[in-house]
């Protein structure tokens, strides 16, 4: 099998991360990498670590003689792109923006969180890749919803690396502000809450609507570290058993018995989850790499499933030891 793919918006962080994965994927042929602002330039002139890895240049023209296309553009841009370009029905679409994550009769995108609906992903023509915070938080609390055990408010604190803000520098992402600094943003009102609640309701219709989410900007480059707690009658033994059973067929999610740290997932497609009981509260720690399991790695995982491949193909990545 040779899957011909195109990448739209290849100059950003998610496009670059996807390239790093796809150029070594044994079943993928990259037909082109499109960029409005870098047409004709070598890919490694933008993604400098790819020197020696590929001789691809950014394309400024489009074609759809493809098997699949990845949309790695800003939020809102994917919808506009698909309105302006008639992508043939035979081409599978994997969108990394938030444009199609909420189920709506106006589109046929499947929400692509394999740990919740792997079979739906396998059968899908179009995938809406989940958000990074949404992925990390859902890995923490979906098992409770699957057990109809998420009826109390959930309190969430999650800290993300600077790459989550995208490549374009802003007042809160450039180095001199971000380094040795930390701040809260979009408290209780982050856009990823909608897709999280949608997933929870699909598993437990009466799950609590009260998700008290405090997102935090971290002073590191990549990764998300989330701590969640909620009241539950389940014992610690029952919680651990529930989580291990829920993820038994999820090769990238690991339920650990020891308190984990963020470096265990950085530069991998892993999600690591740790759960313990404190009084009447379950404490769940969840962590992912925001650019991999939170974006491009999960997009490739979804592509593998859509084409009947092992979902781990091309994603055998190792964290740095230090």
């Amino acid at each position: 099998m040779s899957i011909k793919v195109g990448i739209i918006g290849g100059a950003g962080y998610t496009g670059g991360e996807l390239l790093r994965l796809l150029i070594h994927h044994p079943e993928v042929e990259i037909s082109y990498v499109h960029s409005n602002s870098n047409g004709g330039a070598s890919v490694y002139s933008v993604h400098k670590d790819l020197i020696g890895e590929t001789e691809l240049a950014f394309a400024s023209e489009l074609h759809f003689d493809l098997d699949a296309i990845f949309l790695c553009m800003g939020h809102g841009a994917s919808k506009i792109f698909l309105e302006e370009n008639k992508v043939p029905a035979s081409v599978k679409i994997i969108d990394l923006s938030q444009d199609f994550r909420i189920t709506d009769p106006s589109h046929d995108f499947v929400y692509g969180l394999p740990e919740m609906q792997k079979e739906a992903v396998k059968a899908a023509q179009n995938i809406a890749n989940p958000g990074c915070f949404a992925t990390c938080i859902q890995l923490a609390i979906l098992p409770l919803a699957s057990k109809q055990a998420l009826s109390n408010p959930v309190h969430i604190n999650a800290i993300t690396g600077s790459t989550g803000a995208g490549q374009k520098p802003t007042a809160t992402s450039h180095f001199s502000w971000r380094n040795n600094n930390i701040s809260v943003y979009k408290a209780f009102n982050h856009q990823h809450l909608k897709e999280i609640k949608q997933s929870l309701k699909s598993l437990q219709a009466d799950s609590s609507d009260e998700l008290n989410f405090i997102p935090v900007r971290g002073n590191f480059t990549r990764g998300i570290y989330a701590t969640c707690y909620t009241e539950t009658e389940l014992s610690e033994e029952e919680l651990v058993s529930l989580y291990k059973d829920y993820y038994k067929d999820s090769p990238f999610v690991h339920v650990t018995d020891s308190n984990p740290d963020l470096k265990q997932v950085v530069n991998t497609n892993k999600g690591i989850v740790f759960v313990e009981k404190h009084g009447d509260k379950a404490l769940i720690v969840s962590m992912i790499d925001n650019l991999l399991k939170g974006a491009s790695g999960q997009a490739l995982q979804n592509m593998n499933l859509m084409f009947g491949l092992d979902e781990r193909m091309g994603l055998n990545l190792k964290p740095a030891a230090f």
Side-chain angles (χ1 to χ4, degrees), residues 14-292:
T14 57
E17 204 73 358
L18 191 57
L19 273 164
R20 294 178 187 101
L21 299 172
L22 291 176
I23 60 178
H24 296 296
H25 193 291
E27 302 292 346
V28 166
E29 174 190 339
I30 303 174
S31 183
Y32 62 83
V33 185
H34 183 269
S35 172
N36 286 325
S37 56
N38 294 279
S42 65
V43 162
Y44 61 76
S45 70
V46 174
H47 304 297
K48 297 184 183 299
D49 61 299
L50 291 180
I51 188 169
E53 302 290 328
T54 180
E55 294 300 320
L56 279 168
F58 288 108
S60 53
E61 302 296 325
L62 295 172
H63 70 77
F64 299 111
D65 180 21
L66 304 167
D67 298 303
I69 193 165
F70 293 89
L71 304 182
C72 301
M73 300 176 288
H75 301 309
S78 294
K79 186 175 181 180
I80 294 171
F81 177 86
L82 294 177
E83 289 171 350
E84 295 179 346
N85 297 274
K86 298 299 181 183
V87 179
S90 59
V91 179
K92 298 182 187 292
I93 300 171
I94 302 171
D95 178 33
L96 280 74
S97 80
Q98 67 182 16
D99 292 12
F100 303 104
R101 291 173 186 164
I102 303 303
T103 301
D104 189 276
S106 66
H107 68 76
D108 63 350
F109 280 74
V110 170
Y111 187 68
L113 186 66
E115 290 74 21
M116 184 179 70
Q117 47 182 19
K118 187 178 295 187
E119 295 307 311
V121 171
K122 289 180 180 179
Q125 182 66 22
N126 301 321
I127 288 290
N129 217 54
C132 52
F133 268 135
T135 297
C136 191
I137 293 166
Q138 285 176 96
L139 294 181
I141 58 180
L142 285 178
L144 291 171
S146 75
K147 186 73 171 177
Q148 310 300 298
L150 198 65
S151 300
N152 294 310
V154 184
H155 305 276
I156 306 158
N157 181 283
I159 183 167
T160 183
S162 59
T163 51
Q167 192 175 50
K168 185 177 180 179
T170 68
T172 57
S173 66
H174 63 74
F175 177 81
S176 60
W177 187 90
R178 196 90 176 206
N179 191 47
N180 297 322
N181 203 4
I182 193 168
S183 67
V184 168
Y185 71 109
K186 296 182 181 177
F188 302 105
N189 195 36
H190 195 278
Q191 65 270 18
H192 289 184
L193 285 170
K194 292 180 180 179
E195 60 188 278
I196 297 170
K197 290 179 180 180
Q198 174 179 260
S199 296
L200 296 177
K201 294 296 183 185
S202 74
L203 295 177
Q204 181 183 342
D206 65 347
S207 60
S208 176
D209 286 321
E210 193 173 343
L211 302 181
N212 299 308
F213 177 30
I214 308 298
V216 180
R217 301 181 182 97
N219 65 342
F220 50 92
T221 303
R222 55 196 298 164
I224 296 178
Y225 183 97
T227 54
C228 313
Y229 68 90
T230 185
E231 292 183 6
T232 180
E233 294 180 356
L234 297 174
S235 68
E236 182 166 296
E237 292 75 15
E238 290 171 325
L239 286 166
V240 172
S241 176
L242 167 63
Y243 275 71
K244 289 187 174 181
D245 183 66
Y246 187 85
Y247 290 119
K248 67 181 185 298
D249 296 320
S250 299
F252 290 112
V253 181
H254 307 279
V255 180
T256 179
D257 294 322
S258 58
N259 194 359
D261 59 84
L262 189 61
K263 281 190 175 182
Q264 291 176 257
V265 297
V266 170
N267 296 318
T268 79
N269 200 54
K270 295 177 184 177
I272 293 182
V273 179
F274 172 69
V275 58
E276 62 184 4
K277 192 76 182 289
H278 293 266
D280 62 353
K281 296 178 180 64
L283 170 66
I284 308 105
V285 178
S286 176
M287 59 195 68
I288 63 170
D289 185 309
N290 58 294
L291 290 179
L292 285 165

